[in-house]
Amino acid sequence: MKLTLKVWRQKNNKDKGGFKTYPLDGISADMSFLEMLDVLNEDLNEKGEDPVHFDHDCREGICGMCSLYINGKPHGPKQTTTCQLHMRSFSDGDTITIEPWRATAFPVQKDLVVDRSAFDRIIQSGGYVSVNTGGVPDANEIPIPKTIADEAFDAATCIGCGACVAACKNASAMLFVSAKVSQLAMLPQGQVERKERVEKMVAQMDAEGFGACTNTGACAAECPKGISLTNIARLNREYFSAIVSSENV
Amino acid sequence: MKILFARGFERKFGEQVQYLNQTILTNKAHMSWVTKTLNSTLGRKLLMALTGLFLILFLVVHLAGNLQLLLPDGGEAFNKYAATMASNPFIKVVSIGNFAFILIHVIYSIILSRHNKKSRPVEYAVSKASTNSVWASRNMGILGTVILIFLLVHLKGFYYEVKFGSTPMVSYEGVEFKDVYAIVATAYSNILYVAFYVICMGFLSFHLSHGFASAFQTLGLNHKKYTPAIQFVGRLFSIVVPALFALIPVYMYFTIQS
Ligand code: HEM
Ligand code: SF4
Ligand code: FES
């Protein structure tokens, strides 16, 4: 495959940055998108140019580290992670525009790398269970209906990649936060800190400078893990009921 | 021994955390929990949803009144209805509330739009937003602005005219009534006004096509059984109500002309 890449290059978080165009040849349709970028970087290395910086880790679609806004969509044309996107989703001769996630809360560090520690701080503000769980309990000791267990598990599959923020016109983090609130709010272990958790996580989400939710649904349509909008409704419910009934004035 | 130590540490640590939480919360205590909530993104959206739903209810009542303009009685039913509305104290309270809700809806739409713009100051060079969301949902601000312009023109032309202008009078069975119908009929004999009205109803339709169901989602009212029904009613409402509103000036334009 022959491709033309238009890649966002930016030296550091102060640099203005801009697009640079790279022609690329000899790309196999079986390569993953990141392998294609590896080929580009080897070229650049040989020429003594600075390689394109991008985030990645597992390359298995489970860690949430890869990102990239590819041809106008987060993680590219398929509803999957960029590391699981393959070049067969493109055609010979295509021009591919690659941009970093764009959000005030996700400042660009270098090229395509953005700082997503805002998500970590949201989790630190309450996205955990701090009760001592003790030893492994008997499997059926705490009865949880299958439907609830499944829903909580679905919410828990969020890998924190930030594609929801990238896709949203408001750069809102509601889908991420709603998944992280939901996975604990639905299970018995999450009850102790249920109200405090949602209050603090929403406060942190706002403090990080994410936008508000207009319910466009772009997040769920682009989420590689298929986190659904029902979680956002649940987050709204959890928040309003916590606000009116919690002891935190 | 080790366990005891760990327990003791944990108890101490727990107190520390408790203490920290307390100070964080009390340091923010100059803002009441109500203010804090209404300043959160979720609280602001709550106000948008509640005022939006009230405005939807208002549209129904307003439409029911307007449809009397279509009766072939030279405006008698409509004029009597207008007089009742103007004198009823309950309606007066509701109408003040209505103005307040429109104001809140508009003010918070500005606050939210500005906040959202600040959250995404750099736009993407290439964007395929149309593949993940509908146009109306991404353009509620533009749609709302046109509705606001319409409301201002509408209020100036009818509300202000009738309340503070010189309205002609008619009498039915010896009782004098303001001839609101005449004012409306005059306005609707102008093709430009009719066209403006119809186009604005198109914008209202798009605003509602997203807004109706969106408000329920904002309130957290999402359920396997009811959400499909809410979405269906929302789609129906967003077509039927603006269409009926638009039908009135069009119908009057053609019947008054002939
Ligand atoms: C009869 C008039 C109107 C009705 C019935 C109405 C109804 C609604 C409803 C139900 C929503 C959804 C709220 C939610 O998502 O929770 C909404 C959202 C919105 N409205 Fe209106 N509205 C009206 C007029 C206006 C006006 C005059 C403006 C502004 C100039 C406006 C601006 C907006 C904006 C910007 C949103 C989206 C807010 C967001 O989610 O970010 N609307 N409207
Ligand atoms: S909700 Fe989906 S898109 Fe958002 S961070 Fe989680 S996995 Fe990524
Ligand atoms: S690199 Fe881990 S999910 Fe893509």
Side-chain angles (χ1 to χ4, degrees):
Chain A
M1 282 171 94
K2 239 184 161 149
L3 298 168
T4 308
L5 300 184
K6 279 181 71 186
V7 184
W8 183 262
R9 302 303 309 259
Q10 185 174 335
K11 283 199 178 64
N12 51 48
N13 58 8
K14 305 247 158 35
D15 183 28
K16 245 187 98 216
F19 283 101
K20 247 186 123 166
T21 308
Y22 302 99
L24 202 57
D25 204 353
I27 297 298
S28 145
D30 295 332
M31 281 181 184
S32 78
F33 198 84
L34 297 185
E35 282 164 347
M36 181 274 293
L37 286 178
D38 292 340
V39 172
L40 169 71
N41 278 345
E42 275 174 20
D43 276 6
L44 293 177
N45 262 334
E46 267 172 32
K47 287 189 212 148
E49 285 177 43
D50 194 21
V52 175
H53 286 58
F54 59 87
D55 267 324
H56 65 114
D57 190 5
C58 69
R59 296 206 178 190
E60 289 182 341
I62 53 173
C63 76
M65 200 58 208
C66 57
S67 56
L68 308 186
Y69 206 78
I70 302 161
N71 278 350
K73 283 165 86 70
H75 295 303
K78 293 269 153 71
Q79 200 181 353
T80 182
T81 56
T82 296
C83 59
Q84 292 298 299
L85 177 68
H86 290 85
M87 294 317 291
R88 53 182 166 268
S89 301
F90 299 87
S91 319
D92 191 32
D94 274 2
T95 298
I96 306 176
T97 307
I98 312 172
E99 304 174 67
W101 285 174
R102 294 292 190 192
T104 303
F106 288 167
V108 175
Q109 297 297 93
K110 187 172 167 62
D111 296 339
L112 303 168
V113 176
V114 298
D115 178 2
R116 280 169 285 182
S117 57
F119 271 10
D120 300 338
R121 289 187 292 275
I122 292 173
I123 297 294
Q124 281 158 12
S125 72
Y128 48 79
V129 170
S130 57
V131 287
N132 247 345
T133 47
V136 182
D138 185 71
N140 294 318
E141 202 178 346
I142 308 170
I144 301 168
K146 172 102 168 82
T147 48
I148 301 285
D150 284 350
E151 243 181 287
F153 186 82
D154 283 348
T157 58
C158 163
I159 52 176
C161 63
C164 42
V165 175
C168 175
K169 74 175 184 73
N170 307 335
S172 168
M174 285 287 277
L175 194 64
F176 167 77
V177 175
S178 71
K180 298 303 177 191
V181 164
S182 292
Q183 65 182 8
L184 298 175
M186 279 184 281
L187 298 178
Q189 293 85 347
Q191 299 313 304
V192 180
E193 291 151 314
R194 184 172 176 177
K195 293 176 186 173
E196 201 180 339
R197 173 182 308 116
V198 67
E199 286 181 340
K200 287 188 171 167
M201 288 178 79
V202 167
Q204 191 62 36
M205 170 180 88
D206 286 352
E208 296 290 349
F210 290 106
C213 179
T214 301
N215 301 322
T216 67
C219 50
E222 301 289 9
C223 170
K225 296 296 155 184
I227 302 294
S228 83
L229 294 176
T230 53
N231 289 297
I232 294 187
R234 185 181 297 104
L235 172 61
N236 288 328
R237 228 164 35 232
E238 289 285 323
Y239 182 71
F240 296 132
S241 59
I243 282 292
V244 295
S245 67
S246 82
E247 301 282 325
N248 310 320
V249 282
Chain B
M1 183 57 202
K2 214 173 164 188
I3 291 168
L4 272 180
F5 174 74
R7 286 247 170 90
F9 180 77
E10 191 199 55
R11 209 175 300 131
K12 259 210 174 126
F13 186 66
E15 272 168 16
Q16 213 70 22
V17 170
Q18 197 80 24
Y19 175 72
L20 265 175
N21 286 345
Q22 216 62 44
T23 37
I24 290 168
L25 289 171
T26 41
N27 278 347
K28 274 195 177 171
H30 57 275
M31 258 211 261
S32 85
W33 64 272
V34 179
T35 333
K36 255 188 286 180
T37 307
L38 296 184
N39 280 328
S40 71
T41 48
L42 272 68
R44 287 169 176 171
K45 275 294 312 224
L46 177 68
L47 288 176
M48 281 307 280
L50 291 176
T51 51
L53 283 177
F54 179 86
L55 291 177
I56 283 173
L57 207 63
F58 164 74
L59 286 180
V60 177
V61 177
H62 192 3
L63 178 63
N66 279 15
L67 285 175
Q68 298 176 63
L69 285 163
L70 297 178
L71 296 175
D73 62 354
E76 182 173 341
F78 183 74
N79 280 337
K80 285 181 173 169
Y81 160 79
T84 326
M85 291 303 258
S87 61
N88 187 323
F90 174 71
I91 297 295
K92 272 185 186 158
V93 173
V94 173
S95 113
I96 291 169
N98 194 33
F99 279 119
F101 288 149
I102 291 175
L103 208 63
I104 294 171
H105 194 79
V106 171
I107 290 171
Y108 275 87
S109 85
I110 296 168
I111 294 175
L112 280 166
S113 299
R114 287 183 53 178
H115 175 81
N116 293 340
K117 182 75 201 123
K118 244 176 71 190
S119 304
R120 158 74 50 72
V122 183
E123 289 295 337
Y124 293 107
V126 180
S127 171
K128 292 219 182 88
S130 59
T131 60
N132 60 34
S133 51
V134 295
W135 183 87
S137 73
R138 284 177 274 121
N139 292 282
M140 292 297 276
I142 296 170
L143 295 168
T145 306
V146 175
I147 299 170
L148 181 64
I149 293 168
F150 172 79
L151 281 176
L152 292 175
V153 172
H154 186 69
L155 287 173
K156 165 78 184 68
F158 297 134
Y159 185 83
Y160 183 84
E161 252 349 277
V162 170
K163 220 167 170 126
F164 306 108
S166 54
T167 315
M169 303 299 278
V170 283
S171 66
Y172 304 117
E173 298 110 26
V175 187
E176 288 262 296
F177 287 91
K178 281 187 177 179
D179 197 358
V180 186
Y181 179 84
I183 292 184
V184 177
T186 315
Y188 292 170
S189 63
N190 180 350
I191 182 75
L192 288 178
Y193 194 97
V194 174
F196 172 72
Y197 198 109
V198 171
I199 290 168
C200 288
M201 287 306 109
F203 280 82
L204 176 65
S205 173
F206 275 102
H207 198 74
L208 293 172
S209 73
H210 175 66
F212 192 101
S214 175
F216 287 88
Q217 170 84 355
T218 301
L219 296 175
L221 300 176
N222 176 298
H223 194 280
K224 252 197 192 115
K225 283 181 183 158
Y226 309 114
T227 300
I230 290 169
Q231 285 168 344
F232 175 75
V233 173
R235 271 194 291 276
L236 198 70
F237 189 96
S238 71
I239 294 167
V240 172
V241 171
L244 285 175
F245 267 115
L247 175 73
I248 297 163
V250 172
Y251 177 83
M252 285 177 76
Y253 176 76
F254 285 111
T255 47
I256 291 166
Q257 293 294 304
S258 55

